Amino acid sequence: MSELFDAVDALVASRSPLPPPAERRRLRQAHGLTLDEVAAALQVRRATVGGWEAGKTEPRPPEREAYARLLDKLAELYPAPTTPAAPEKGPAVPEGSAGEPAPAPEVRAGAPVSEAAVVTATEKTQTGNTQTPASAPAPVAPAPAAASRPAGTARPSSTSRRPVAREAAPAGSPGGGADPRFENGPLAVVDVDADGQVLAYCTGGLVLDVAAKSLPALVEWTLREAKLGAPKLSGPGKDGDPLIVLTQAALKRYGLPVALTEEERHAGRIPEGHKVIKQLVRAEWKLTKRGFGPWARIYRPTTGSERACVQLCIPSWNALDPRSWGHAGQLPPAELARVLGVYASRVMTPRGSTAVTGLELMTALHPPTRASEPDADGKRHSEHNPGSLGKDAIDPMNWPPCEVPDGHPVLKDLPRFHVRGPAEKLFEEAYDWARPMTDDECTLRHLVGIDVNMAFAAGANGLNVGLGEATHVKNPAFDPKLPGSWLVDLSHVDLSRVKVGKEWVELDGSLLPSPFTPKGERPERPAWYATPTVAYAAELGYEVRPLEAWVRRENGRYLDGWYNRLRDAYLATMADLGVHADLSPADFLSAMDGYKARDPELAIVVSAVKATVKGGLGKLRERPRGEGWKPGQPWRALARPTWRPDIRAAVISRTRINLHRKIVKHAAFTGQYPVAVLSDCVVYAADGTSPLDFLPYRDGKPLPGGFKLGINPGLVKHEGTQSVLWGEEVRERFNAPELNLARYIKDGTVTDVDNGE
């Protein structure tokens, strides 16, 4: 009899209605379940569960019964908030619509939100924008989840050009702020559905119908009707232009190639004679000098204070580099809108690659000009914004020769094959150092790597950098507060005896990298160094006497705001992934274990934020990029006020010095020395597999000034663990006793060996 009852229950469950896709996702996330966990329990693929939550597919028996049971249980634990009744007063509205909703509670982006802080998906009708309710309103979350278009939503007439919202965006979603000009967020992913309808997937689950039948019409729609964009990040700045992401289906609809040819990839753009470009020209739209490529900018010259500019992003043209964006380019439209929307709300709307965006963020936070006070006639004028790099680039011929890369115009009189040495060239780069293991280290069992979080961002925090041109001085007295480049002999600094704080300590200097060179070699003669490097030599207790210097007397902490915004973006996203700043060391290591699998989409955002830091700093010394450039000639990047190799050098110098300071304090306290250092990763030999097996924690407290586990920039996380036998075997196999094991410590896979060259 029980078997009959079970069969009846299964039959009923196979026909029982399932909650809408958005509610399925809400219930899963409310219980802290990942797609992988649900898929494993139901014995299906992760993509299958994702399709159920996106509304693309529906579960079939026998999985449907189990899935329905799971959702029923979760619904009992996390009931959907009730939707408030529409107000009784107000003008009549068309059938199927409701009155204007009460204002949603204001939620600061990235701030913790309680279960009670929810927004109801209430219908709203207004000129040019009609919103229909979601089937199940979701709690507000710091990082909003993408939601699919509700089934059965009425489609507007084909003649309508008004954007129609498919689902109300949650309060606190990216771009969903108080500015009515940008109420639909900073961006949209434009796709074509199975019925041939063009849809724009915005942040917060919002989906708009798009009536534009050509690319010029899409640009017009974006600027006039879509209500996309972002408010400026600083007082004198400019509002963020809307971003339109085109899927492959949208590319076909608007007459663009799905992929670039090899010639077009090399050129970075489609030919100027392409029919779509001709359409734009006829509609009086312009393209920037880089043409119509993966990150095209379409604009009309500014009239008054009105900007008319739309940024395009084309993932299938490799706009979203997998090195920075992982698998974002392969995400469905709603999920891609979520990833880019979270990044846009916490960093800024992407303006190109993460490197370009990192540089643009500097300018957005410190615009070069501002409006002056009214003059006698009451008019305002553009003037220099204090603390910025100014609107004009430094004259290429006024650059200190030691600070510029090879091929710069200031070096055009050098012999053609001349190689500049340390006495001619400032060479501040990240560490790439390793040494053979000692006999004692070989008796230990493991090699444990630790990695500094957001190391280069931390190096920029509080750093005093030059804002203007440099002044050349001979035999100057060293000033650690003065940004610049110094020619000084540091060969006398002996790491066997250094000052740590106020006390001199004895160390084994042969087991330490030099803090003054990227390869860790002790300098032998005078060389050019940035201010943080020279200041550290003095901190170690040694006298420094520069022979000459290029100093910048106009200076300031230009990168502080940039650091703060990227730090907050990183910490907020890691908190969404379950890694918080106040965890104990053991809990932190546990939380970091598999954190990317908890929400792979947010893990993409973390990767993009970190790439924004490194890429933005790299852009400060951008090299020539083809275009027929020859050594000695200027290249395009030199015309930017943000072409500042001196600032890049100072940040890298400070990052390397910060790491060396921790290494020295750790050695002085524990007698342990690193086996390898690569950029921001340090490898130690230890008896255990965890960083806690060699980091000197006492009662949960770390060594002051040493390595500390945690998610904040400048603190460290576990990079990876391999056996000492693995390290020795790899070095022996490739006959490289000083092979940098930090390069392979993460997963032990040795893909390329350069023998330290």
Side-chain angles (χ1 to χ4, degrees), residues 6 10 83 97 101 115 184 200 209 283 300 317 323 367 378 443 465 497 559 567 603-604 621 634 640 701 722:
D6 292 342
T83 303
S97 299
E115 287 285 332
N184 292 334
D209 275 337
R300 285 186 180 134
W317 294 7
R323 293 172 296 181
T443 64
V465 300
R497 186 173 184 272
L559 294 173
R567 174 204 61 196
I604 294 174
R621 196 190 66 164
R640 295 194 318 248
K701 296 182 180 180
Q722 304 297 328

Side-chain angles (χ1 to χ4, degrees), residues 149 180 200 202 230 251 287-288 312 322 369 380 402 419 478 494 498 504 564 578 634 664 727 741 746:
R149 174 164 55 111
C202 306
L251 291 173
L287 293 165
T288 57
L312 296 186
T369 60
R380 296 179 183 270
C402 63
V419 178
F478 176 67
D494 184 5
V498 296
W504 288 92
N564 289 333
V664 166
L741 299 175
K746 190 167 188 176

Side-chain angles (χ1 to χ4, degrees), residues 269-284:
R269 67 188 75 184
I270 58 177
E272 294 184 3
H274 194 280
K275 63 179 182 179
V276 172
I277 296 182
K278 292 180 179 179
Q279 292 174 0
L280 292 169
V281 172
R282 285 195 297 269
E284 299 182 345

Side-chain angles (χ1 to χ4, degrees), residues 2-27:
S2 62
E3 294 180 358
L4 291 177
F5 287 164
D6 292 342
V8 170
D9 291 342
L11 185 63
V12 172
S14 68
R15 298 294 186 270
S16 62
L18 295 174
E23 175 69 355
R24 302 170 195 174
R25 184 176 189 135
R26 182 191 76 82
L27 291 171

